[in-house]
Structure formats: C-alpha cells, structure tokens
C-alpha cells in the first residue's frame, strides 16, 4: 500500500505531463518575422529573406525555401531590405478653392502664311518687284476649297486673240508628274524671243507650273513671259507649293493663275497668282507679278522689244 506522499508525487507528475501536452499542442504565432523558422534564399545569393515577396527577390529566377538554421550554416545574412523596410510615403491632399471664371469669347485670328512673300527680288544688278494684293487673301469661295472629289485642274479656252485666259486647280501630290519635262515646241502669242545681255529675254511661261500638274505643250496653259516673270517671279511660289504638296499626300492647295492683258495686246502685262492650302494657312498668297525685264522696253501690243534708253 502506497503512502500518501507517494500518491501526491504521482498526481503532481500527471499534472505536469498534462500541462506540458497543452503547451505543445497550442499553435503560437510568432509576434515578428524574426521568430520564423523558414526563410527564402536564391542559389547564389548572400542573404536570406523572411518574406517570399520581398523586393530583394524580384529579379531572382528561382527562390528556395530552407530552414533558418540551414541559411545561417551557409553563411547567409539577413537582407537589408528586411532590416529596414521602406517607409510608406504619405501624400498630403491639397484642396484648392474652386474658382469660377467668366467665359469670354476668344477672338479668332487667321494665321498668315508661314513664309511671307518677298516683295523685291535682286539678282546681280537686276531688281524685280512683286505686288501683294488684298493682304494676301486669295478670296476663294468655300465651295471651291472642298476636297470631296479629290484633286482637279481646268484650263480656260483661248480668247479671240488666241491668248490664254485662266488656269484653276485643286493641287495634290497625285497630280505631280513623275517623269522629266519634254521640250516645249508651241509658241504662245507675242513670242518674239531674242538674246539680251543676261540671256534669253522670254520664256514660255506655264500658268500652272509643270512640276505641279505635268501640263506642258498646252497653249491654254502658256503665255510669253520675261525671264524675270518666270524666275524668280512665278517659280518662287511654285516651289513653295511643290514642297508643301510633297510633304504629305493629304495636303491640298487651291490654285489659280490669271494672265492680265490690256485691250487687244498680245503680251500680258503680268499675272495674278492666288493660292490657299486647305485646312491651314501654310500656303496663302494673292500676288501680282509684272511681266517686265530690267533694262528692256517691251511693246505689249506685239511682244517686240528693245534695250531701254
């Protein structure tokens, strides 16, 4: 028969075992990651991480889960990103007072052409003047500025004296020729050409330049013009239009050239050139170019000429 003290010792041992079982079976969540037993490493890295999605592992091709003991045995140290996690940046919201402004109608101003026409051209000792008409406003009707039907060109019929009248077009890159210009063989009215000190007096001047439409030996598109009227006069504007058209297949230019004759004269006094780019004012001109040549006196009735006295 056991003594009371022996029975008390046995009861105390059972109680200890019971309490120990409760402790070992109760799940305890570590208060910090420092108490975790599993860490994450890479094959060749020098650090270990508690957090699998730590930014220090973003570029790792493969991540391994190992025990903390194993990681330390390999000589790995805790990553700096774990030691000092980035502080979350707080952005203060600034509330602004709503200011009610009165709407005022903006004044719409029409932009002038990007390149202003030069009023005077000088080549050596020769000077050629261009007159700007109506502040460079070409004055085309809205209907003729439509691109709905694409590019087009028309040439007025010769008048009763076989003189060219007017040439109109809606220019686009599609109308521009791809080949070289052939020699001109037809003679417009007042064609009495001759050599002068600076070269040939006259040129067969296209109302709409060949480089824009490909029209060549077309009497409806030709007049007798001095070298100065042709170049630098008309060619200067034609080159600007050609460059604009070549820049984009979507570019269009409304274009009109009208020779100005006085009475029954066969030699034009000059030409009026009007042009407007569609949808912009990159090309916007209305100019009068006189059919004159420095140092020469022209007979506009016939086209004959002599050196100015």
């Amino acid at each position: 028969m056991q003594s009371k003290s022996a029975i008390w010792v046995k009861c105390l041992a059972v109680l200890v075992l019971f309490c120990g079982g409760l402790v070992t079976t109760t799940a305890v969540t570590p208060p910090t990651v420092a108490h975790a037993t599993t860490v994450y490493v890479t094959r060749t890295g020098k650090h270990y991480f508690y957090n699998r999605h730590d930014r220090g592992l973003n570029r790792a091709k493969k991540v391994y889960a190992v025990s903390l003991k194993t990681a330390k045995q390999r000589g790995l140290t805790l990553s700096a990103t774990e030691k000092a996690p980035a502080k979350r940046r707080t952005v203060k919201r600034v509330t602004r007072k709503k200011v009610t402004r009165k709407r005022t109608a903006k004044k719409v101003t029409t932009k002038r052409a990007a390149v202003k026409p030069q009023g005077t051209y000088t080549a050596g000792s020769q000077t050629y003047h261009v007159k700007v008409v109506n502040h460079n406003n070409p004055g085309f009707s809205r209907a003729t500025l439509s691109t709905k039907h694409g590019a087009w060109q028309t040439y007025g019929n010769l008048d009763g004296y076989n003189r060219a009248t007017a040439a109109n077009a809606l220019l686009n890159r599609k109308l521009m020729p791809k080949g070289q210009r052939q020699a001109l063989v037809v003679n417009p009215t007042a064609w009495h050409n001759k050599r002068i000190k600076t070269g040939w007096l006259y040129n067969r001047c296209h109302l709409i330049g060949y480089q824009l439409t490909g029209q060549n030996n077309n009497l409806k598109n030709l007049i007798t013009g001095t070298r100065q009227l042709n170049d630098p006069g008309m060619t200067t504007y034609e080159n600007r239009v050609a460059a604009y058209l070549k820049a984009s297949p979507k570019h269009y230019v409304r274009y009109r050239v009208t020779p100005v004759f006085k009475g029954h004269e066969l030699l034009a006094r000059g030409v009026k050139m009007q042009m407007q780019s569609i949808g912009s004012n990159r090309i916007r001109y209305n100019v009068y170019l006189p059919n004159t040549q420095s140092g020469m006196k022209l007979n506009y009735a016939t086209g004959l000429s002599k050196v100015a006295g």
Side-chain angles (χ1 to χ4, degrees):
M1 186 173 181
Q2 295 179 342
S3 64
K4 290 182 179 181
S5 60
I7 293 172
W8 174 252
V9 172
K10 287 183 178 182
C11 290
L12 183 60
V14 171
L15 181 61
V16 172
L17 288 173
F18 178 73
C19 291
L22 287 177
V23 172
T24 56
T25 58
T26 301
V28 179
T29 302
T32 63
V33 293
H35 294 85
T37 57
T38 300
V39 294
Y40 300 92
V41 299
T42 60
R43 185 183 297 274
T44 58
K46 296 181 180 181
H47 306 288
Y48 61 87
F49 302 82
Y50 291 118
N51 185 358
R52 169 63 181 83
H53 301 289
D54 188 278
R55 59 190 176 89
L57 295 171
N58 286 346
R59 296 185 179 181
K61 294 183 179 179
K62 194 168 184 180
V63 177
Y64 302 90
V66 300
S67 67
L68 177 59
K69 182 179 180 181
T70 301
K72 289 184 176 181
Q73 287 176 348
R74 286 176 50 187
L76 305 184
T77 58
L78 179 61
S79 170
T81 58
E82 294 280 5
K83 292 177 182 177
K87 293 183 179 180
R88 187 173 182 180
R89 187 177 178 182
T90 58
V91 179
K92 293 183 179 179
R93 291 187 178 181
V94 179
T95 57
R96 296 182 180 178
K97 293 182 179 180
K98 187 176 182 180
V99 180
T100 305
R101 295 181 181 178
K102 293 182 180 180
R103 292 185 178 180
T104 56
K106 291 183 179 180
K107 186 177 180 181
V108 179
T109 56
T110 304
K111 293 181 179 180
R112 294 295 178 89
V115 181
K116 293 183 179 180
Q118 187 176 337
T120 302
Y121 299 91
T122 303
S125 60
Q126 298 186 357
T127 302
Y128 183 74
H129 300 278
V130 174
K131 181 180 179 181
V132 176
V133 180
N134 193 25
H135 305 289
N136 262 333
N137 182 4
F140 292 115
S141 67
R142 183 173 297 181
T144 63
L145 295 174
S146 172
T147 61
K148 183 178 180 180
H149 301 292
W152 52 267
Q153 55 181 312
T154 60
Y155 301 89
N157 291 327
L158 301 179
D159 66 9
Y161 297 93
N162 287 328
R163 300 176 301 189
T165 50
N168 284 270
L170 181 63
L171 302 174
N172 179 260
R173 200 163 75 181
K174 290 182 179 180
L175 293 181
M176 302 179 80
K178 296 181 180 179
Q180 293 293 325
R181 195 189 79 179
Q182 301 297 317
L184 286 165
V185 295
V186 297
N187 296 330
T189 59
W191 184 253
H192 294 288
N193 206 3
K194 67 180 181 182
R195 284 274 189 179
I196 59 174
K197 185 177 180 180
T198 56
W200 288 104
L201 170 63
Y202 289 131
N203 289 166
R204 297 177 178 91
C205 293
H206 295 85
L207 297 182
I208 300 181
Y210 174 82
Q211 64 176 320
L212 303 177
T213 62
Q215 289 289 322
N216 199 33
N217 280 294
N218 179 359
L219 282 173
K220 295 180 180 180
N221 191 41
L222 290 170
I223 63 169
T224 297
T226 63
R227 178 59 187 170
Q228 286 182 337
L229 169 64
N230 194 25
D231 187 12
M234 298 179 73
T235 303
T236 298
Y237 295 92
E238 291 167 359
N239 288 344
R240 292 173 187 169
V241 173
Y244 176 75
L245 295 176
K246 290 177 181 178
S248 172
K250 295 182 180 180
H251 286 174
Y252 286 84
V253 175
R254 178 70 172 90
Y255 200 85
R256 177 166 60 215
V257 181
T258 308
V260 178
F261 292 95
K262 185 176 180 180
H264 300 163
E265 294 176 349
L266 300 180
L267 182 65
R269 293 280 177 158
V271 295
K272 186 176 182 180
M273 300 184 74
Q274 298 159 277
M275 56 204 81
Q276 173 70 60
S277 52
I278 309 302
S280 75
N281 284 326
R282 290 288 300 279
I283 301 295
R284 187 174 184 266
Y285 298 123
N286 185 355
V287 290
Y288 175 78
L289 288 73
N291 194 11
T292 58
Q293 183 70 33
S294 298
M296 297 299 296
K297 185 176 181 179
L298 307 179
N299 184 332
Y300 289 95
T302 61
L304 296 173
S305 61
K306 62 180 181 180
V307 176

